[in-house]
Amino acid sequence: MKIFALANQKGGVGKTTSAINLSAALAKSGKHVLLIDADPQANASSGLGVDIRQLHTTIYECMINGVDPTEAIVQTTTPNLDIIPSHIDLVGAEIEMLKIEERESIMKKMLEPLKPSYDYIIIDCSPSLGLITINALTATDSVIIPVQCEYFALEGISKLLNTIKIIKSKLNPQLKIEGFLMTMYDNRLRLSNQVYEEVKKHFGNLVFDTVIARNVRLSEAPSYGMSILEYAPQSKGAINYMDLAKELISRE
């Protein structure tokens, strides 16, 4: 049983896309997967077809009111893939959490009873380094850091690495970096190749072999409430995420 958090405080790097599609690819590989939407924008929830307006229980109620997390689990249309959805209320949660004891470990305690039911739990973090993301990093085994193959790709990564280092020393000594995932890669562009080389030079073996190519189908899928594996199973995007799932499984 392994928990991964997808984190990068820079927005628009393909983090939620990767959380949705990696979860779906692991589920398609026969693994039982729970996706945790820990972003108030709730894009992972709507991207898997969950109607947020109809929900009574989300991650917010679990973290703030101590509601049993099994009550928040929603089955998706992908076999083996469940999700604990998010809600815009999560925006205010960070302030409400200030009055809770051991506030950095709320998510860790919440996930504990769910572990026996799943092979993988994947947490989609919000693009910030606030208290919810700190909770996710405290609860996780390792971090997947999506990096887009564009200008300023490495901007802000040192801040994230510093946060990971602090959490490792104070809250989660087992925490490690699973890898840097290169997203939005276009092999026709010199820039994409330069960024890839630069990240590879900095982080060496920590960069995943699988690269997520820029793909129109990938950006269309969430508006239909589907993962890329449901929406366009033959597309380049679907193949990339299946490859990533295989790469992760082979490391176990």
Side-chain angles (χ1 to χ4, degrees):
M1 146 69 310
K2 194 138 195 211
I3 303 178
F4 294 119
L6 277 92
N8 190 334
Q9 78 274 21
K10 196 169 187 285
V13 297
K15 184 177 52 57
T16 298
T17 300
S18 294
I20 290 173
N21 294 309
L22 172 58
S23 298
L26 287 166
K28 199 172 163 55
S29 307
K31 304 292 181 188
H32 287 271
V33 184
L34 176 65
L35 176 58
I36 307 284
D37 189 350
D39 183 350
Q41 293 173 59
N43 291 338
S45 306
S46 57
L48 279 172
V50 177
D51 184 354
I52 309 154
R53 294 162 307 188
Q54 303 294 325
L55 298 172
H56 298 298
T57 313
T58 65
I59 187 170
Y60 171 83
E61 284 77 16
C62 298
M63 291 186 73
I64 301 302
N65 304 332
V67 170
D68 182 340
T70 55
E71 290 181 31
I73 293 173
V74 176
Q75 288 183 323
T76 71
T77 51
T78 301
N80 294 332
L81 176 57
D82 296 340
I83 183 168
I84 291 187
S86 184
H87 193 276
I88 190 70
D89 286 353
L90 204 58
V91 168
E94 308 224 333
I95 294 165
E96 295 181 67
M97 284 160 78
L98 294 174
K99 60 179 189 286
I100 301 175
E101 294 273 307
E102 295 181 6
R103 53 182 174 264
E104 299 86 1
S105 309
I106 298 169
M107 194 182 293
K108 184 180 180 164
K109 288 182 190 132
M110 179 191 105
L111 295 182
E112 206 53 53
L114 302 177
K115 285 180 176 179
S117 309
Y118 295 97
D119 298 308
Y120 292 100
I121 294 177
I122 294 187
I123 308 170
D124 183 30
C125 299
S126 70
S128 78
L129 291 177
L131 196 45
I132 305 273
T133 299
I134 288 168
N135 260 270
L137 295 175
T138 304
T140 198
D141 296 310
S142 57
V143 191
I144 295 172
I145 302 170
V147 179
Q148 86 286 32
C149 295
E150 286 168 14
Y151 277 120
F152 309 126
L154 291 170
E155 204 179 58
I157 282 188
S158 60
K159 214 178 198 167
L160 175 61
L161 296 180
N162 197 39
T163 303
I164 291 170
K165 205 162 119 189
I166 292 166
I167 288 170
K168 195 177 160 72
S169 68
K170 303 239 186 310
L171 297 163
N172 183 0
Q174 272 72 51
L175 183 62
K176 67 184 185 63
I177 293 171
E178 191 67 37
F180 291 84
L181 175 65
M182 304 306 295
T183 62
M184 305 178 198
Y185 178 78
D186 186 340
N187 61 1
R188 296 164 306 183
L189 296 181
R190 206 167 94 224
L191 176 66
S192 269
N193 293 304
Q194 283 170 341
V195 172
Y196 180 79
E197 292 306 325
E198 192 184 350
V199 175
K200 197 84 177 133
K201 195 175 79 193
H202 271 272
F203 301 109
N205 289 341
L206 277 178
V207 181
F208 283 105
D209 294 336
T210 306
V211 172
I212 309 298
R214 194 176 272 290
N215 181 252
V216 178
R217 293 272 184 266
L218 265 181
S219 44
E220 289 171 355
S223 60
Y224 293 91
M226 295 180 188
S227 75
I228 188 66
L229 295 144
E230 270 191 294
Y231 177 67
Q234 305 304 317
S235 68
K236 204 174 190 174
I239 293 161
N240 288 164
Y241 280 107
M242 281 308 294
D243 287 345
L244 179 62
K246 283 179 198 142
E247 191 176 340
L248 276 174
I249 292 166
S250 71
R251 291 178 173 193
E252 292 303 300

